[in-house]
C-alpha cells in the first residue's frame, strides 16, 4: 500500500466533496472511510485511477451518512451531482483546499489547526506541540473549528497569512523527521509563489529552500542528530541555497519586511558561512532583533539568546535568557549549551539531562542524553 500516494490524494478528494456541497466535517469523515477502504482492497488490485476511486467511494460514504440525519432532505439534489464515471480531474486541489480551510468565519489559530489536521495530515498531538498548548486544548479547538464551518458553503477563502502559517508548520513537521511533509510543503509554496506576488510568500519559499538544503547533513548514518556547527557543509545542496538566496534578495528589495523574510535572512547567513567559525553572528543577532520586533515570540527570543551567546559570549547569552519562561520547548537545552560555553559543566550536564526528558523526538532525546553523558564522563557531578 502506497501511503505517500494516499496522503497526496487526500486533500484533493476532500476538496472535491466540499466544492460539491458536502458539509466539511462529514466530508472529512467520508474521506477517512474511503482511505480505510483503500487500505483494505487496494493491495489485492489497485485501481487504474486512484483519485477517481477515492472520490467515488468517499462521495457514496458521504451520501450514506447524510441519509441518517437532517441532510436527508437534500439527498436527491446531492445524488444528481454524483461524479460521472471515468477518470477524475488531474488538477491538484491541495492549495485551494488550504485557502478554503482558512475560512473568514474562523480565527487564524483555529483555521491553522483545522487545516493541519484535515489537510496536512498531522495528529492533534503534533499540532498541540507546535502551538505550545496541551493536546486536550488543541482537540477542543479543532472540534470547535469543525462545528463553526459545518454547513458553510465555502464561497470565500481565507487570507494568505493564515495559509503561509499552515505551510510553515507542515514544513517544520516534515523537516523534523517525524512526518515526511517537507517536500510537499515546498511544492505547495512554489505553487503559491507562482500565483501570488507577495514578498512573504517569497520569504517563506526561500526559508524552506535554505533549511531543506541542509537536510542530508542533519543526521549521521546511525540516525543520530548532527548539530549545525558539526555538519558537513560539503553535503549541503548548493543549488537550493543559491535559489533561496536569490528569491530572498528580490523579496527584501521590496522593503516590506515580514517574519518569514527575516527568518530566511538568518538561514541565508548560516548557509553563506564556509565554516561554523566564520558565521556572521553579529548580523544574525540583528536579524533576530527584527524578528522579535515583528513577532514578539518567546521562541524567537530563546533562539536569539543562542546567537547573542555566539556573538558576545556565553555570559551575554545567559543574560538574554532572563525573563523567558523556563518551560519553553528547548529552553533547558539552550541553557545547557550556554552554561557549558561559560564553563559551568555541572549545571550544563544537569540541564542536558533535563532537556532530554522533554525532547519532542527520539533523535533529539538521544542527542541530549549523549551530551549529558559526555560531560559526566569529564568528571562533572
Amino acid at each position: 500500500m502506497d501511503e505517500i500516494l494516499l496522503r497526496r490524494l487526500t486533500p484533493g478528494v476532500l476538496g472535491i466533496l466540499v466544492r460539491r456541497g458536502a458539509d466539511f466535517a462529514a466530508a472529512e469523515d467520508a474521506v477517512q472511510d474511503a482511505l480505510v477502504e483503500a487500505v483494505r482492497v487496494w493491495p489485492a488490485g489497485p485501481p487504474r485511477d486512484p483519485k477517481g476511486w477515492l472520490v467515488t467511494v468517499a462521495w457514496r460514504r458521504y451520501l450514506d451518512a447524510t441519509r441518517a440525519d437532517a441532510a436527508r432532505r437534500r439527498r436527491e439534489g446531492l445524488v444528481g451531482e454524483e461524479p460521472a464515471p471515468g477518470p477524475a480531474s488531474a488538477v491538484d486541489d491541495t492549495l485551494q483546499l488550504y485557502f478554503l480551510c482558512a475560512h473568514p468565519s474562523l480565527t487564524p489559530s483555529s483555521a491553522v489547526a483545522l487545516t493541519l489536521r484535515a489537510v496536512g495530515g498531522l495528529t492533534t498531538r503534533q499540532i498541540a506541540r507546535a502551538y505550545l498548548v496541551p493536546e486536550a486544548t488543541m482537540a477542543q479547538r479543532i472540534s470547535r473549528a469543525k462545528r463553526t464551518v459545518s454547513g458553510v458553503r465555502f464561497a470565500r477563502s481565507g487570507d494568505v497569512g493564515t495559509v503561509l502559517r499552515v505551510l510553515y508548520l507542515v514544513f517544520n513537521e516534515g523537516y523534523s523527521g517525524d512526518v515526511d511533509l517537507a517536500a510537499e510543503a515546498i511544492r505547495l509554496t512554489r505553487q503559491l509563489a507562482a500565483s501570488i506576488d507577495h514578498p512573504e510568500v517569497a520569504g517563506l519559499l526561500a526559508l524552506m529552500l535554505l533549511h531543506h538544503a541542509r537536510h542530508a547533513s542533519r543526521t549521521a548514518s546511525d540516525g543520530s542528530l548532527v548539530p549545525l556547527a558539526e555538519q558537513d557543509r560539503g553535503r549541503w545542496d548548493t543549488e537550493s541555497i543559491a535559489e533561496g538566496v536569490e528569491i530572498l534578495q528580490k523579496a527584501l528589495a521590496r522593503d516590506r519586511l515580514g517574519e518569514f523574510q527575516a527568518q530566511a535572512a538568518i538561514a541565508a547567513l548560516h548557509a553563506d558561512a564556509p565554516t561554523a567559525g566564520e558565521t556572521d553572528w553579529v548580523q544574525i543577532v540583528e536579524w533576530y532583533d527584527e524578528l522579535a520586533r515583528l513577532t514578539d515570540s518567546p521562541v524567537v527570543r530563546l533562539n536569539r539568546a543562542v546567537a547573542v551567546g555566539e556573538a558576545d559570549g556565553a555570559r551575554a547569552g545567559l543574560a538574554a535568557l532572563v525573563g523567558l519562561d523556563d518551560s519553553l520547548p528547548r529552553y533547558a537545552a539552550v541553557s545547557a549549551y550556554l552554561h557549558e560555553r561559560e564553563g559551568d559543566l555541572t549545571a550544563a550536564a544537569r540541564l542536558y539531562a533535563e532537556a532530554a526528558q522533554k525532547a519532542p523526538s527520539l533523535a533529539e532525546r538521544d542527542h541530549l542524553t549523549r551530551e549529558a553523558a559526555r560531560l559526566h564522563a569529564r568528571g562533572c557531578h
Side-chain angles (χ1 to χ4, degrees):
M1 171 57 59
D2 191 338
E3 295 183 6
I4 296 178
L5 174 62
L6 286 176
R7 184 182 293 278
R8 288 284 298 272
L9 292 176
T10 298
V13 175
L14 181 57
I16 289 173
L17 266 63
V18 170
R19 288 199 303 277
R20 289 182 179 277
D23 170 87
F24 186 92
E28 184 187 8
D29 290 341
V31 172
Q32 293 301 317
D33 287 345
L35 293 175
V36 171
E37 185 68 6
V39 170
R40 187 180 70 83
V41 304
W42 282 13
R48 287 194 298 266
D49 178 18
K51 184 176 180 181
W53 188 97
L54 287 171
V55 168
T56 299
V57 173
W59 186 259
R60 288 173 179 169
R61 293 298 173 91
Y62 173 73
L63 290 179
D64 289 342
T66 60
R67 291 187 182 102
D69 57 30
R72 182 190 301 272
R73 291 169 294 180
R74 297 198 302 128
R75 182 184 60 184
E76 296 303 322
L78 291 171
V79 170
E81 297 177 17
E82 181 171 350
S89 169
V91 174
D92 185 354
D93 304 292
T94 306
L95 190 58
Q96 183 178 7
L97 192 58
Y98 271 65
F99 275 94
L100 292 177
C101 286
H103 196 268
S105 63
L106 296 172
T107 64
S109 61
S110 294
V112 171
L114 176 62
T115 313
L116 289 172
R117 184 71 186 92
V119 188
L122 304 189
T123 65
T124 303
R125 176 174 297 179
Q126 289 170 322
I127 303 169
R129 189 177 68 209
Y131 271 90
L132 311 181
V133 299
E135 183 177 353
T137 300
M138 183 53 65
Q140 293 174 354
R141 182 179 300 177
I142 293 172
S143 295
R144 286 196 299 269
K146 288 182 179 181
R147 288 196 298 270
T148 299
V149 299
S150 180
V152 171
R153 293 301 295 261
F154 292 90
R156 296 182 298 158
S157 59
D159 62 33
V160 175
T162 300
V163 173
L164 290 180
R165 201 161 302 282
V166 173
L167 288 169
Y168 180 51
L169 290 172
V170 170
F171 175 82
N172 279 341
E173 284 298 333
Y175 191 66
S176 73
D178 295 331
V179 184
D180 185 14
L181 292 172
E184 175 71 356
I186 292 174
R187 184 183 72 84
L188 292 172
T189 306
R190 282 191 187 279
Q191 285 187 6
L192 187 57
S195 61
I196 298 178
D197 183 19
H198 193 297
E200 274 293 81
V201 176
L204 179 58
L205 178 57
L207 175 63
M208 289 179 174
L209 289 170
L210 289 164
H211 275 316
H212 206 56
R214 305 198 302 261
H215 181 71
S217 64
R218 293 184 72 248
T219 54
S221 57
D222 61 0
S224 60
L225 288 182
V226 180
L228 176 60
E230 300 173 18
Q231 289 177 13
D232 178 359
R233 299 184 179 220
R235 299 183 65 196
W236 289 1
D237 183 346
T238 54
E239 290 186 6
S240 291
I241 290 173
E243 182 185 5
V245 169
E246 181 181 1
I247 291 171
L248 173 63
Q249 288 174 338
K250 290 179 179 178
L252 291 175
R254 301 179 65 175
D255 198 26
R256 290 169 54 194
L257 183 64
E259 61 179 288
F260 294 120
Q261 294 170 73
Q263 288 189 62
I266 294 169
L269 286 167
H270 283 297
D272 187 55
T275 66
E278 296 173 86
T279 304
D280 189 346
W281 287 107
V282 172
Q283 194 172 168
I284 287 176
V285 171
E286 292 174 354
W287 276 111
Y288 269 120
D289 288 338
E290 290 285 352
L291 189 55
R293 179 182 61 81
L294 289 166
T295 66
D296 193 29
S297 164
V299 175
V300 168
R301 297 187 184 281
L302 181 65
N303 292 330
R304 177 185 178 276
V306 176
V308 169
E310 299 288 353
D312 302 323
R315 184 168 299 179
L318 289 168
L321 286 179
V322 175
L324 291 177
D325 188 345
D326 62 8
S327 67
L328 280 171
R330 298 186 173 91
Y331 177 96
V334 169
S335 183
Y337 175 75
L338 292 172
H339 274 90
E340 181 180 359
R341 289 281 310 277
E342 179 68 4
D344 188 350
L345 303 188
T346 300
R350 174 180 55 79
L351 287 164
Y352 275 130
E354 178 184 328
Q357 295 177 348
K358 301 177 180 178
S361 69
L362 179 61
E364 188 169 339
R365 186 192 70 187
D366 289 346
H367 169 73
L368 293 167
T369 300
R370 283 193 295 270
E371 292 296 283
R374 174 178 58 82
L375 295 183
H376 280 300
R378 292 172 59 179
C380 303
H381 300 290

